[in-house]
Amino acid sequence: MKLVEKDPEAAIVWFWKAINAGDRIDSALKDMAVVMKQLDRTEEAIEAVKYFRRFCPKQAQESLDNVLIDLYKKCGRVDDQIVIIKHKLKLIYLGEAFNGKPTKTARSHGRKFQVSVKQETSRLLGNLAWAYMQKSNFLGAEVVYRKAQMIDPDANKALNLCQCLIKQARYDEANVVLRDVLQYKIPGSSDHKSRSRAEELRLELEMKHSNNPVLPNLPDLGFESDFVEVLDRVMSEWAPARSRRLPIFEEISQYRDQLAC
């Protein structure tokens, strides 16, 4: 750690030596990717992780996927983010995520906590929706956010959904979503960042209403083929046998027809 702080370039050389020697390749890859990202060598980190992950154990693949998603975000590769998120949703659907366990131990700010499959599914759908927002596919993002909120609601996704509706000039619907956060009806509504953002969106909606705009001609927001694939197949086609489906996907499968419109 001291070497990373004092001389990150030298640290990368040592990480490469560990990788080439086969010494805990997954750990060295993840640490090296973090340092490379800090040095704006993100593309190099992506190629290293993609190539050497084949030499890592199965239980390390999920965390390496998370590393790649973070790297793709750094360099704006939205389509690549979507591919990995779809893959992770597929593993959940098939019951293969978390190495087959119902929960996993996660870490944040030095704190350990348990994450359930239900929570992970909602989180991934939230990430997928955010990726669609970056592609200006606000209708697609809206549908995914709504499904994520049905599984495990939180204020952050609610505010993103509100933003999606504003982008589509559906201000009354956006107000309904925002009201739940302002009235503390959704988990996380009391968070300082959520309160600040909710207030910003409230002011934006007030301006929109006062201007009384005519509904603009929106760009083509029809579902793209990959968007249909990630929800439609996750809900109905990815599992070879219905008995292998996790309960959470049985719950949202009933809404499949709404996605085909």
Side-chain angles (χ1 to χ4, degrees):
M1 181 60 67
K2 290 183 178 180
L3 178 60
V4 171
E5 294 174 353
K6 294 176 63 175
D7 192 345
E9 294 286 357
I12 290 175
V13 173
W14 283 103
F15 286 136
W16 273 123
K17 289 182 178 180
I19 292 169
N20 290 323
D23 182 13
R24 298 182 61 190
I25 297 177
D26 56 317
S27 179
L29 265 180
K30 288 183 282 188
D31 290 341
M32 184 174 71
V34 171
V35 178
M36 284 184 167
K37 178 184 173 184
Q38 294 172 349
L39 296 175
D40 290 326
R41 295 169 59 179
T42 309
E43 294 287 352
E44 185 180 348
I46 289 171
E47 294 307 312
V49 174
K50 288 172 63 177
Y51 180 82
F52 284 100
R53 69 181 303 172
R54 71 189 73 179
F55 304 111
C56 300
K58 182 178 180 180
Q59 57 267 29
Q61 298 304 316
E62 182 181 346
S63 60
L64 289 172
D65 280 338
N66 293 334
V67 170
L68 279 176
I69 289 175
D70 189 51
L71 293 172
Y72 286 142
K73 285 181 180 178
K74 172 71 173 180
C75 55
R77 291 170 57 171
V78 178
D79 289 333
D80 289 314
Q81 292 177 49
I82 291 174
V83 169
I84 296 185
I85 294 171
K86 288 163 59 178
H87 172 70
K88 291 172 74 67
L89 284 168
K90 174 181 177 179
L91 293 180
I92 290 177
Y93 184 69
L94 296 176
E96 298 175 4
F98 297 3
N99 296 311
K101 299 179 181 179
T103 62
K104 73 172 182 178
T105 301
R107 294 176 176 82
S108 178
H109 305 293
R111 182 174 60 91
K112 292 183 180 180
F113 55 95
Q114 292 297 308
V115 177
S116 68
V117 170
K118 180 178 179 180
Q119 291 170 322
E120 181 70 357
T121 302
S122 181
R123 185 187 71 83
L124 287 171
L125 287 173
N127 288 345
L128 176 64
W130 182 254
Y132 275 97
M133 286 186 69
Q134 307 315 299
K135 292 168 66 72
S136 297
N137 185 351
F138 301 114
L139 179 58
E142 175 201 342
V143 173
V144 184
Y145 274 130
R146 289 191 186 278
K147 302 311 171 188
Q149 289 293 81
M150 289 163 53
I151 297 170
D152 188 39
D154 67 55
N156 182 57
K157 292 195 293 288
L159 294 172
N160 287 340
L161 173 58
C162 177
Q163 185 176 349
C164 285
L165 293 168
I166 291 174
K167 292 292 186 180
Q168 298 174 68
R170 293 159 58 190
Y171 305 130
D172 289 338
E173 293 174 71
N175 261 319
V176 172
V177 174
L178 181 60
R179 190 180 306 125
D180 285 342
V181 177
L182 293 173
Q183 295 178 356
Y184 300 93
K185 293 182 178 180
I186 300 178
S189 296
S190 59
D191 178 76
H192 175 69
K193 290 183 178 179
S194 294
R195 302 308 299 175
S196 297
R197 188 176 175 210
E199 185 62 23
E200 291 174 0
L201 289 171
R202 185 185 67 80
L203 293 174
E204 181 177 353
L205 280 168
E206 286 182 355
M207 291 180 59
K208 299 290 187 183
H209 278 298
S210 64
N211 292 333
N212 193 24
V214 177
L215 183 66
N217 292 321
L218 297 175
D220 183 14
L221 295 177
F223 291 157
E224 300 172 359
S225 59
D226 56 347
F227 173 72
V228 175
E229 178 183 350
V230 73
L231 282 182
D232 201 20
R233 291 193 181 181
V234 160
M235 293 179 186
S236 64
E237 297 178 10
W238 270 336
R242 289 180 62 86
S243 60
R244 295 185 64 189
R245 287 186 178 184
L246 294 180
I248 190 60
F249 283 101
E250 292 290 357
E251 292 177 17
I252 62 178
S253 292
Q254 59 182 303
Y255 299 93
R256 176 170 178 248
D257 291 343
Q258 299 178 19
L259 305 178
C261 60

